Amino acid sequence: MELRELKYFLAVAEYGTISKAAEELYVTQPNLSRQIQNLENELGQKLFIRGKRKVALTAAGVLLQKRAEEIISLLAKTKEELTSFDKTLTGTIWIGGGESYAVKLIAKAANALQKDYPFVKFRFFSGDTNEVVEKLDEGLLDFGILITPADLSNYEYIRLPFVDTWGIWARKDSPLAEKTEITPSDLIDQPIIFSKHSYGKNPITDWFGKNYEKMNVVATYNLIYNASLMVEEGMGYAVGLGKLINTTGDSNLQFIPFSPSLKSEIYFVWKKYSVLSKADEVFLNYLNASLL
């Protein structure tokens, strides 16, 4: 399997036709068809379902598309690191994490570094813990921001001086809006919107205890902004972390913390035994300095 074949495959998957992909790649249609056929023969799998006008990915094709994108992204990242080696500090630092107020601290360190080294760029990926860990382990991210509970055994880490507080986001005119704290029993029979990170996992299940099975979960979310829109429309109460939504001014939302209090620690992590780029190492110095 050659890199050229993967690029050809991704082009066909993107454009949906051999003819359009061949045009964009500046190759002949027969040549492109032959390359795709060679790739299918090598893998022993059909990658496309061929229709009269369009082609569609098979299940094997969907998997290859994901892996091919990862391979090409990793290759580009490696090339960039090597070409900037022993030169004026350049490069791209890839950081992934869930939504957390601690990102403010990461952004502060990134801003300080860029003022001294303007050729260093940052790429931030937002995702839940599973997505961030997967990309870290595959080498597609340099660093991750993990919110407990998270398995840190495979990582070096810095514990950030933030603690995220769990609670609910509610409309200011909702039945629970007058409460200053929310107990598990308060949420029985209420429409609940869970974050994907917290749904079905400790410590949320521990906090709810026996009431967890009685929860009326009407939706789940990845991004708190989307959850806030659902809350505003009256779909229910969103379980999540505080400080992420503006509740001042004309906002119709408020955050009510859990009682007993439930908090999560936040860690900035990178893979054990990984070889960090010079830009990565310098960023860690800036981050540590911001913690002093």
Side-chain angles (χ1 to χ4, degrees), residues 15-68:
Y15 294 109
T17 68
I18 296 287
S19 58
K20 178 62 175 176
E23 179 183 338
E24 294 295 326
L25 292 167
Y26 300 101
V27 299
T28 65
Q29 187 171 335
N31 180 33
L32 181 55
S33 296
R34 186 167 55 253
Q35 296 286 346
I36 297 299
Q37 185 65 55
N38 290 342
L39 186 58
E40 288 181 324
N41 291 339
E42 180 181 352
L43 297 175
Q45 297 284 346
K46 286 291 184 183
L47 300 175
F48 294 102
I49 301 170
R50 289 151 173 89
K52 291 183 178 180
R53 295 184 178 180
K54 290 266 190 178
V55 296
L57 289 169
T58 63
V62 170
L63 175 60
L64 181 60
Q65 182 185 40
K66 182 176 186 294
R67 296 306 181 202

Side-chain angles (χ1 to χ4, degrees), residues 147-284:
I147 302 170
T148 57
D151 183 3
L152 303 176
S153 60
N154 294 324
Y155 305 104
E156 303 288 347
Y157 58 82
I158 298 171
R159 183 175 179 272
L160 300 180
F162 286 97
V163 176
D164 278 336
T165 300
W166 290 90
I168 64 166
W169 292 94
R171 283 171 54 122
K172 291 178 180 177
D173 59 357
S174 66
L176 298 179
E178 295 182 0
K179 290 184 172 291
T180 58
E181 297 177 325
I182 293 294
T183 66
S185 60
D186 290 330
L187 298 178
I188 294 177
D189 297 327
Q190 299 290 346
I192 304 299
I193 304 168
F194 265 116
S195 73
K196 185 179 176 183
H197 172 67
S198 64
Y199 185 42
K201 297 180 180 179
N202 293 326
I204 293 294
T205 52
D206 289 342
W207 183 82
F208 277 99
K210 62 182 181 181
N211 293 316
Y212 182 76
E213 298 299 328
K214 303 176 184 177
M215 293 298 105
N216 176 25
V217 181
V218 298
T220 62
Y221 69 90
N222 281 357
L223 301 175
I224 190 62
Y225 177 73
N226 292 338
S228 73
L229 297 180
M230 289 187 269
V231 174
E232 284 186 341
E233 289 301 316
M235 285 184 63
Y237 300 95
V239 172
L241 300 173
K243 298 183 180 179
L244 298 178
I245 297 293
N246 182 19
T247 58
T248 61
D250 296 332
S251 173
N252 191 34
L253 300 180
Q254 68 183 66
F255 180 76
I256 311 173
F258 284 158
S259 177
S261 177
L262 180 61
K263 299 181 182 296
S264 287
E265 296 179 341
I266 308 166
Y267 293 85
F268 190 76
V269 309
W270 60 99
K271 283 178 65 176
K272 285 183 178 179
Y273 316 117
S274 62
V275 179
L276 298 178
S277 70
K278 292 183 70 174
D280 291 338
E281 292 176 348
V282 172
F283 178 69
L284 283 177

Side-chain angles (χ1 to χ4, degrees), residues 91-95 109-111 113-114 120-124 283:
T92 302
I93 299 172
W94 297 75
I95 302 173
N111 185 47
L113 184 148
Q114 284 188 322
V120 175
K121 307 300 179 185
F122 287 84
R123 297 291 182 267
F124 286 89
F283 178 69

